[in-house]
Amino acid sequence: MNIMKSMKQQIKIRALLLILTLVSFNVGAFAQDKLDNYLVEAAENNPGLKGTFNEYMATLQKVPQVGALPDPQISFGYFIQPVETKAGPQKARISASQMFPWFGTLGARKDAATEMARSKYEQFRESRSRLFYDVKSTYYNLYFIQKAIGITTENISILNTFRKLSLTKLESGKASSADVLRVEMKIADLEDELALLRDNFLATQAGFNNLLNVEARRAVSLPDSLSDVEPEMSREAVLDSIRERNPEVLQLDFAEASYQKQVIAARNSGKPSFIVGFDYLVVGKDRNSMASVSNPGQDAFIFPTVGISIPLYRKKYTAMVKEAALMQESLQNKKLDKINVLETTYEKANKDYRDADRRIGLYLAQSDRAERALEILQAQYETDGKDFEDVLNVEQQLLKYKLELEKARSDKGAAIAFIHYLAGK
C-alpha cells in the first residue's frame, strides 16, 4: 500500500511539473519542433529540476504547520493520600487546557510561510529557465559543430581535387612540386581540425544528453539550418519583463513579503496568550459523611479554567521584530541590486544579438564574393597553371566565411535564448 501511494505521489508531482513547464513555455519562440521536444524531455527528466520542485512542494507543507494551534495539554494526577472534603475524599484529578495566541498571530505566520513558499516556487522557475537556456545554447553549439564538421569535410574534398589538379599540372610542366606540397599541408591541417571537431561534438553531445538525463551517447537530432528568428520583444518590453517577471526578482519580492508578515507575527508573539481549560475531580465515598451531605461521593467538575501567558522578557520579542524588519530591508536592497545587474546583463546580451545579426549579413555577402573569386582563380589556374597560392588562400577564406556564418547563426539563437531567460519567459 505504501509503495502504491508513493508511486501515485510521484506520478502526480511529475504531471504537475510538466503542466507548469508547458504553461510557461513559449513554443512559438523557436520554430524547431525538435528543440521543443528536447525542452519538454529536460523538464520531465532533469534530476536537479526535480529536486528544486520537491523543495518547493516541501515548503508548502510549512503552511499548515505554522498555522495550527499549539497542542492541547492533558494531565492526570492521583492522590496517594486522598484529600478529605465534605463531599468525600478526592482520589484523582484530570486537567485539560488549550493555549490560544494573540489575535492574528497564526494568520500572520501562515501568510509568512505562504509567501516563502511562493519565493521557493520562483526559485524553481529560475532553475527551469536556466535549464531551458542551457539546453538551447548547447543545442545551438552542437548545430555549429555539426555544420563545421560538414564544411571542413567538404573543404578537404575540394582540396583533394586541387591536389589532383596540381599533380596533373606538375606532370605537364605547368606547375611546381611546391603547389602539391602546399595543398597537402592544407589538407593535413584540416584533417587535424576535423578530428578535433568530432571529439568536441561527442563531448558536447554528452553534456546535452546529461541535461536531459539520458544516455550520454544518444544521437541528437539537429536541423539542417537554423531559421532566422527574432527576440519578439522590444528593449523596453524586455526591461519591463525583467522587473515584473524575472524569477530571481520575484523570488526576492516574495521573500520580502514573507518577512513583512513575520514582523506582524513577531509583534503579536510579544502580546499575551490565553489559556482555556477544565479540571475534573474524582471524589470517593465517605461513609462517615453520607448522612450529612447530599449526593456524597459524586464526581465534581470545576469549569472553566482561564489563564493568561504574559510575555515579560521583552528583549526577545523586540529582537524578533527587529530581525524580521532588517531582513525585509535587506531584501529590498538586494532586489534593486538584482534588477540593476539583470538590466546590465541584458544590455550585453542585446549587444551580442545585434553583433550576431550583423555578422550573418556580412558573412553571407563575403561567402558569395569568395565563391565567385574562387571560380575565377580556379579557371585561370586550370588554363595557365599560375596563381595557385591565390586559389588556396581564397579557398581558406571561403572556409572561414562559411564557418563564421554558421557560428553567427548559432550565437544569434543563443543570445535570443538568453534574452528570453532574463525576461522570465
Side-chain angles (χ1 to χ4, degrees):
M1 291 297 292
N2 291 334
I3 295 175
M4 290 296 296
K5 186 176 180 181
S6 177
M7 290 178 62
K8 289 180 179 179
Q9 185 176 10
Q10 289 295 324
I11 293 172
K12 184 177 179 182
I13 290 175
R14 182 176 178 181
L16 181 56
L17 177 60
L18 181 58
I19 290 171
L20 291 171
T21 298
L22 293 175
V23 167
S24 66
F25 176 50
N26 185 2
V27 178
F30 293 90
Q32 295 90 348
D33 292 337
K34 297 173 184 177
L35 178 55
D36 297 347
N37 293 334
Y38 286 133
L39 291 173
V40 174
E41 190 173 5
E44 290 180 326
N45 298 336
N46 184 269
L49 187 62
K50 286 182 178 180
T52 307
F53 182 73
N54 285 331
E55 285 183 13
Y56 159 65
M57 296 295 290
T59 308
L60 285 177
Q61 304 309 310
K62 291 281 188 181
V63 178
Q65 295 179 45
V66 300
L69 286 170
D71 292 332
Q73 294 183 350
I74 300 177
S75 61
F76 173 79
Y78 182 79
F79 298 101
I80 297 175
Q81 290 290 336
V83 179
E84 295 292 342
T85 65
K86 291 182 179 180
Q90 295 182 1
K91 292 185 174 182
R93 178 192 297 267
I94 300 174
S95 300
S97 63
Q98 174 66 62
M99 179 178 287
F100 295 91
W102 187 263
F103 307 104
T105 302
L106 295 180
R109 290 174 182 172
K110 286 181 64 176
D111 291 343
T114 301
E115 294 296 334
M116 193 58 72
R118 296 176 73 182
S119 176
K120 206 69 175 179
Y121 173 73
E122 294 304 325
Q123 183 179 341
F124 157 71
R125 279 190 61 225
E126 199 283 330
S127 298
R128 183 187 56 197
S129 297
R130 170 59 69 174
L131 173 64
F132 282 1
Y133 168 68
D134 289 341
V135 170
K136 291 173 186 177
S137 60
T138 308
Y139 185 82
Y140 291 133
N141 194 22
L142 273 175
Y143 164 82
F144 167 68
I145 298 173
Q146 174 188 257
K147 297 299 288 186
I149 290 173
I151 292 170
T152 304
T153 303
E154 180 185 354
N155 274 268
I156 291 174
S157 176
I158 293 173
L159 288 175
N160 278 319
T161 302
F162 286 164
R163 180 178 177 276
K164 293 177 181 178
L165 180 61
S166 62
L167 286 172
T168 302
K169 292 294 182 182
L170 179 62
E171 291 174 357
S172 63
K174 294 184 177 180
S176 68
S177 58
D179 291 345
V180 179
L181 292 173
R182 276 196 292 264
V183 72
E184 288 177 346
M185 290 166 58
K186 299 283 187 183
I187 292 172
D189 289 340
L190 287 181
E191 286 177 343
D192 180 68
E193 291 180 15
L194 182 61
L196 179 61
L197 285 170
R198 285 172 174 162
D199 288 342
N200 193 15
F201 184 87
L202 291 177
T204 307
Q205 178 180 258
F208 180 84
N209 286 328
N210 284 334
L211 290 172
L212 276 59
N213 197 30
V214 297
E215 201 277 321
R217 289 298 179 95
R218 191 184 78 169
V220 179
S221 180
L222 297 167
D224 294 329
S225 62
L226 293 178
S227 58
D228 191 12
V229 295
E230 302 298 331
E232 299 178 352
M233 298 176 70
S234 65
R235 176 180 177 276
E236 291 74 18
V238 173
L239 292 176
D240 287 342
S241 186
I242 286 174
R243 301 183 191 101
E244 297 173 4
R245 295 185 56 187
N246 182 274
E248 291 185 282
V249 174
L250 291 178
Q251 182 182 349
L252 294 171
D253 202 15
F254 289 131
E256 178 194 341
S258 175
Y259 279 105
Q260 185 177 9
K261 298 297 182 181
Q262 288 185 40
V263 169
I264 299 174
R267 286 173 179 164
N268 288 340
S269 297
K271 296 178 181 179
S273 299
F274 306 100
I275 303 171
V276 177
F278 68 87
D279 290 343
Y280 180 79
L281 295 175
V282 179
V283 180
K285 294 181 179 180
D286 187 349
R287 295 176 181 177
N288 297 325
S289 61
M290 287 182 64
S292 59
V293 180
S294 62
N295 298 325
Q298 185 180 36
D299 296 346
F301 280 96
I302 301 177
F303 180 89
T305 301
V306 180
I308 187 170
S309 174
I310 302 175
L312 295 178
Y313 305 105
R314 303 306 304 169
K315 288 184 178 181
K316 176 177 70 173
Y317 301 104
T318 302
M320 289 170 60
V321 173
K322 191 172 183 179
E323 177 190 2
L326 287 172
M327 285 300 301
Q328 182 183 353
E329 184 178 355
S330 171
L331 289 168
Q332 289 174 349
N333 291 323
K334 285 185 177 181
K335 177 184 173 182
L336 293 175
D337 181 65
K338 176 59 68 175
I339 290 174
N340 291 336
V341 170
L342 290 174
E343 288 179 350
T344 302
T345 305
Y346 163 70
E347 295 297 348
K348 294 178 180 177
N350 195 35
K351 180 266 296 180
D352 293 339
Y353 158 73
R354 294 196 305 269
D355 176 63
D357 194 46
R358 284 194 300 266
R359 283 188 286 133
I360 289 175
L362 171 64
Y363 292 122
L364 277 172
Q366 292 292 76
S367 296
D368 181 63
R369 295 186 185 104
E371 286 177 352
R372 285 185 288 158
L374 183 61
E375 291 175 359
I376 295 171
L377 290 172
Q378 186 176 351
Q380 290 177 351
Y381 180 73
E382 290 174 355
T383 303
D384 53 24
K386 296 180 179 179
D387 301 326
F388 185 66
E389 188 171 355
D390 291 340
V391 173
L392 292 181
N393 289 336
V394 173
E395 171 62 23
Q396 288 299 105
Q397 284 293 105
L398 180 58
L399 169 64
K400 174 187 173 183
Y401 292 147
K402 286 183 176 180
L403 290 174
E404 290 293 342
L405 174 60
E406 297 302 335
K407 186 66 169 65
R409 286 171 173 163
S410 173
D411 289 346
K412 182 178 179 180
I416 292 174
F418 191 62
I419 290 173
H420 286 170
Y421 161 70
L422 293 175
K425 296 185 66 175

